[in-house]
Amino acid sequence: MKYWNEKMECMGAEDMRALQGERLRNIVRYTYERVEFYRRRMDEAGVSPDDIQTIDDIVKLPFMQKKDLRDYYPTGMFAAPMDEIVRFHASSGTTGKPIVAAYTASDLDDWAEGVARCLTAYGVTKDDVAQISYGYGLFTGGLGAHDGATKVGCSVLPTSSGNTAKQIMLMRDLGSTVLCCTPSYALYLAESIEQDKDTDVARDIKLRIGVFGAEPWTEGMRKALEENLHIKAYDIYGLTEVSGPGVGGECECQDGTHIWEDLFYPEIIDPVTLQPVEDGKEGELVFTTLSKEGMPVIRYRTRDLTHLTRGRCKCGRTAVRMAKILGRSDDMLIIRGVNVFPSQVESVIMQMPEFTGQYFITLDRVNNIDTFDIDVELKLEYHSDSIKNINAIKAKLNAKLVSVLGIKPDVHIVEPGSIERSMGKAKHVLDKRNFK
Amino acid sequence: MKIKQLSIFLQNKLGRFAEMASLLGEAEINMQAFTVAENAEFGIVRLIVSDVDKAAKLLIEHSFAVSVNEVFLLEMPDEPGALAVYVNKLSDAGVFIEYMYAFSGANGKAVVALKPSDAALCEKILG
């Protein structure tokens, strides 16, 4: 089976826009009637639900952002009564209150539909054994992938995250063919399999497809994962505020992430002027949920930076494609006045076979000057007797980083295995600068 | 003669050398000689042990970055001028010494472990 939902994934542009317009009309009226936040914001902007007729009218509506969701914690953004809510999830909320998301039965069904479309696009079928190594619980990764894989009919292995030795044992013994987890955990799993004397990737591991998301990752990371685990690695995109993983996913062409735009309408705006930018130009990704009942969002600013491509993909889908996300605008580091994304550092490290791919960035400020330190691990086989050789590899990395980033970091070679491995979303940066 | 030596990359971190030494001790592996080449942020311990294969395996299992390489061992009387004879021969032949370290051998002999720039030439000269 090539498509999970051919009608929606391959719909012509005009039909899609008509459907989106109809759904937008409904969701705007629905939220205006049920949620004080939307009513007040639309009234302030002088827009009434009657002003929204086609999808083009979306630009009349005000934006919303993460702060709004926090301000209305815990239930202020819910549009459905509690007896219709069947599930909650919550963001990690590293600062302040978490964001709580609420789902009706229909929302869970749409969410699983989105994941099922992604899995089918990667080539997953009911014959696959899907190991879900995303964390189960408040995080949307585990249960989201679980419900989607169940919908497809896979044999689901809900290992959740952590306990890596057991993950590998079950992967081997039950013959997992699909692995769903964060790319950084997949890298750690690959490393652990390599070190496991009883397990040989080619002989004992049957994985063929990796479903990776929940954090930005680079083409270099993809290459490393595909080579180390003998798989095809695909991106799955999503966020708790919009639903969870499965807002979109890549197809076998690996040429952009298809967004299921009949459910989640994407726009790209200039984050400064807030004006729409044309297709192909980079800007901030904004989402409107077109069918959600529990907690819809309208023109939600994701902080993710990307661009969109329209037109039919080689796979036959017309669903709009989004370029790989290089980072959230929130992730961008400003170091000595230069914008740096951790993903840029990752892409350089991944290009050099000498390193394990693990890295950790530490920022500090000493005498009013930013310090920028990067720890990297030299692979065991590149260790030698010679400090000169190790320093030469370090100098090579330094030169590449300077040319990509435009500023010079202090690179430190550390022992392989000494950078903490992540079971979930990887933490790559510690910013000790105090701007207060 | 040539002998296998372990080179162990150690971060400058409190207790890391102690950890390595304890591991070897518990496995009854004797450290016969070593030297530490240091740098601002890491060091390389060059180590001659009683059982090189066992030591390498053990350390790698405990996540130490180990490489195994060869050095020349010169045994000589522990008296003035003994080493000069050898190193003069090497420098006359154009062989650089990348590093060397000395320790006491059996029967009051002095032993020097030496890493030459050109192993083949060094072997020819020292026979």
Side-chain angles (χ1 to χ4, degrees), chain A residues 131 159-171 185-186 188-193 196 421-423:
Chain A
Q131 181 163 344
T159 47
S160 193
S161 58
N163 201 345
T164 303
K166 196 169 180 185
Q167 298 259 5
I168 295 170
M169 184 183 80
L170 291 170
M171 180 182 286
Y185 187 53
Y188 178 55
L189 269 172
E191 194 176 81
S192 306
I193 291 169
D196 182 342
R421 268 49 172 172
S422 155
M423 305 290 165

Side-chain angles (χ1 to χ4, degrees), chain A residues 114-150:
Chain A
V115 177
R117 289 185 198 174
C118 294
L119 293 173
T120 305
Y122 311 144
V124 176
T125 71
K126 66 181 184 52
D127 298 329
D128 280 295
V129 176
Q131 181 163 344
I132 316 290
S133 308
Y134 284 114
Y136 279 63
L138 288 174
F139 174 49
T140 50
L143 285 163
H146 180 103
D147 288 351
T150 302

Side-chain angles (χ1 to χ4, degrees), chain A residues 4-69:
Chain A
W4 180 259
N5 186 336
E6 184 169 356
K7 185 177 168 212
M8 290 302 171
E9 294 173 52
C10 306
M11 191 179 276
E14 280 317 301
D15 287 347
M16 178 56 76
R17 292 173 62 74
L19 177 70
Q20 289 167 334
E22 183 194 320
R23 289 186 170 177
L24 179 69
R25 237 176 6 249
N26 292 339
I27 199 76
V28 167
R29 185 165 297 282
Y30 176 84
T31 51
Y32 187 86
E33 286 168 357
R34 289 167 174 244
V35 184
E36 187 259 334
F37 168 80
Y38 291 105
R39 192 159 52 242
R40 187 172 53 75
R41 294 288 283 265
M42 282 179 61
D43 288 347
E44 280 167 12
V47 194
S48 93
D50 291 335
D51 296 328
I52 308 302
Q53 293 301 323
T54 74
I55 192 66
D56 292 328
D57 294 325
I58 198 167
V59 296
K60 297 173 184 169
L61 295 165
F63 291 102
M64 59 187 287
Q65 44 198 338
K66 190 169 266 184
K67 183 178 180 300
D68 298 318
L69 299 179

Side-chain angles (χ1 to χ4, degrees), chain A residues 62-67 69 99 239 241-242 267 284-288 297-303:
Chain A
F63 291 102
M64 59 187 287
Q65 44 198 338
K66 190 169 266 184
K67 183 178 180 300
L69 299 179
I99 286 160
L239 58 172
E241 301 91 310
V242 173
E267 298 172 83
E284 180 181 338
L285 181 61
V286 171
F287 271 112
T288 299
V297 291
I298 293 179
R299 303 198 91 192
Y300 178 74
R301 296 180 58 183
T302 62
R303 307 279 165 189

